[in-house]
Amino acid sequence: MMSERLAVKLPGLDLKNPIMNSSGAVFFGLEDKGYAIEETGALVTKTVTMSARAGNPQPWIINTPSGILNSVGLANPGIEAVVADILPAIHEKYKTLPVLASVAGETVGEYVALTERLTATKQVTAIEANLSCPNVDRGGMAFGVTAESAAEVIHAMRAATTLPIYAKMSPNVTDIKPIVKAVETAGANGIVLINTVVGMSLDLNTRQARLARGTGGMSGTSVHPIAVRFVYETAQTVSIPVIGVGGVSTVDDALELMMAGASAVQIGTALAGNHQVMADIIRELPSALDKYGFSNVEEVTKTFKK
């Protein structure tokens, strides 16, 4: 049966298929924009912080010939509003769909507090720790760029919840392998990567950066080969599942990330141009499996070895 061919079972995530949105791509999935979230394997929330955030100055999203640059700055309503209003609304709308709640803190203590609040709601299935955020206790360096700081966050979160924890990693590092190994040892149940690649775009007429903040996160089809490499290196390093994200816009893109070692795939930037892209890929998966000689999606993940 098709459902059996596409199903993937991950820690805390019983997926009917391996396709889901990436954090921020559909906000909290409550607006009727035709994303067909109910057809996907899981809903990933917008990254939640302790306090509400308005985000960075505009412009914070620009198009480039290579993809999209953004410096949105984790704009979100804050944990209080998410717990009181948004999670109940998600539960009412999507019923049994697994919910992967993304969190970000400026300190390890904030990650712990967010984890405790979300766990207490009993309305999320797993937690995704966005480790690309600046650590204010360490001079603003992103948590995910060193093994020590990344592991510190996951270790503290692990002590605060029984929910599965997925560590979302930054590609802006020299070597991802020791970092993902450290978060695995610290108690992560899975790895999500990649987050956006730091980039910049300049306006030749104004002599200014096109983003108000200067630099931003690059996403879109141009980062896909980077994502494939990071997924492959991570899958060869850890024994916990990997969720791949980065430049997926076709069923072949999704299968390529899975062949590199991802058990599931998140889609972000492509949704801006085609709200139905997740549904399209899910619909095309069975014939793509036939085309490439796979009996099911789990077989794709096990295919490519170093």
Side-chain angles (χ1 to χ4, degrees), residues 60-62 64 67-71 197 199-201 211 216-219:
W60 61 14
I61 298 178
I62 60 170
T64 79
I68 291 177
L69 268 176
N70 91 83
S71 62
V197 180
M200 191 176 192
S201 180
L211 285 173
M218 188 75 190
S219 63

Side-chain angles (χ1 to χ4, degrees), residues 21-301:
N21 65 281
S22 64
S23 177
V26 301
F27 204 54
F28 288 96
L30 296 173
E31 297 175 335
D32 292 322
K33 292 191 174 182
Y35 294 123
I37 294 167
E38 66 282 352
E39 296 182 29
T40 67
L43 167 66
V44 185
T45 72
K46 182 77 172 72
T47 297
V48 182
T49 55
M50 288 298 294
S51 301
R53 291 192 183 186
N56 290 320
Q58 301 272 7
W60 61 14
I61 298 178
I62 60 170
N63 288 306
T64 79
S66 304
I68 291 177
L69 268 176
N70 91 83
S71 62
V72 173
L74 300 182
N76 77 98
I79 189 63
E80 297 301 329
V82 168
V83 168
D85 303 316
I86 293 175
L87 285 178
I90 290 173
H91 182 70
E92 175 64 25
K93 182 170 184 177
Y94 295 110
K95 309 300 182 191
T96 60
L97 189 70
V99 176
L100 184 57
S102 175
V103 301
E106 294 183 346
T107 65
V108 174
E110 286 193 358
Y111 278 98
V112 171
L114 289 161
T115 298
E116 291 174 340
R117 292 299 308 278
L118 289 170
T119 302
T121 68
K122 300 187 184 302
Q123 292 184 319
V124 302
T125 320
I127 297 176
E128 181 180 277
N130 182 347
L131 298 179
S132 297
C133 307
N135 181 352
V136 298
D137 288 341
R138 300 279 178 87
M141 181 177 65
F143 284 98
V145 301
T146 72
E148 179 186 19
S149 57
E152 184 182 7
V153 174
I154 299 303
H155 180 76
M157 291 176 66
R158 179 73 286 150
T161 187
T162 57
L163 289 174
I165 298 170
Y166 288 78
K168 186 170 184 179
M169 310 306 300
S170 169
N172 303 303
V173 298
T174 303
D175 188 358
I176 196 65
K177 296 186 288 297
I179 306 175
V180 294
K181 190 63 181 177
V183 298
E184 178 185 34
T185 302
N189 301 96
I191 305 289
V192 181
L193 76 173
I194 57 174
N195 211 326
T196 55
V197 180
V198 175
M200 191 176 192
S201 180
L202 304 178
D203 188 313
L204 296 177
N205 291 308
T206 66
R207 277 75 162 169
Q208 301 292 320
R210 293 177 64 205
L211 285 173
R213 191 173 176 270
T215 60
M218 188 75 190
S219 63
T221 55
S222 63
V223 307
H224 183 69
I226 300 171
V228 171
R229 190 260 290 188
F230 272 89
V231 166
Y232 172 73
E233 290 185 345
T234 297
Q236 300 298 320
T237 303
V238 301
S239 58
I240 54 178
V242 177
I243 297 176
V245 54
V248 174
S249 61
T250 68
V251 69
D252 280 7
D253 293 337
L255 289 175
E256 186 180 10
L257 279 179
M258 296 183 76
M259 185 177 288
S263 295
V265 172
Q266 294 182 355
I267 299 173
T269 299
L271 283 162
N274 175 13
H275 289 188
Q276 283 287 304
V277 66
M278 293 190 295
D280 290 344
I281 290 174
I282 293 165
R283 186 181 63 254
E284 294 165 6
L285 267 172
S287 59
L289 292 175
D290 291 340
K291 175 182 177 181
Y292 296 113
F294 296 109
S295 58
N296 55 55
V297 292
E298 291 183 331
E299 188 177 302
V300 183
T301 305

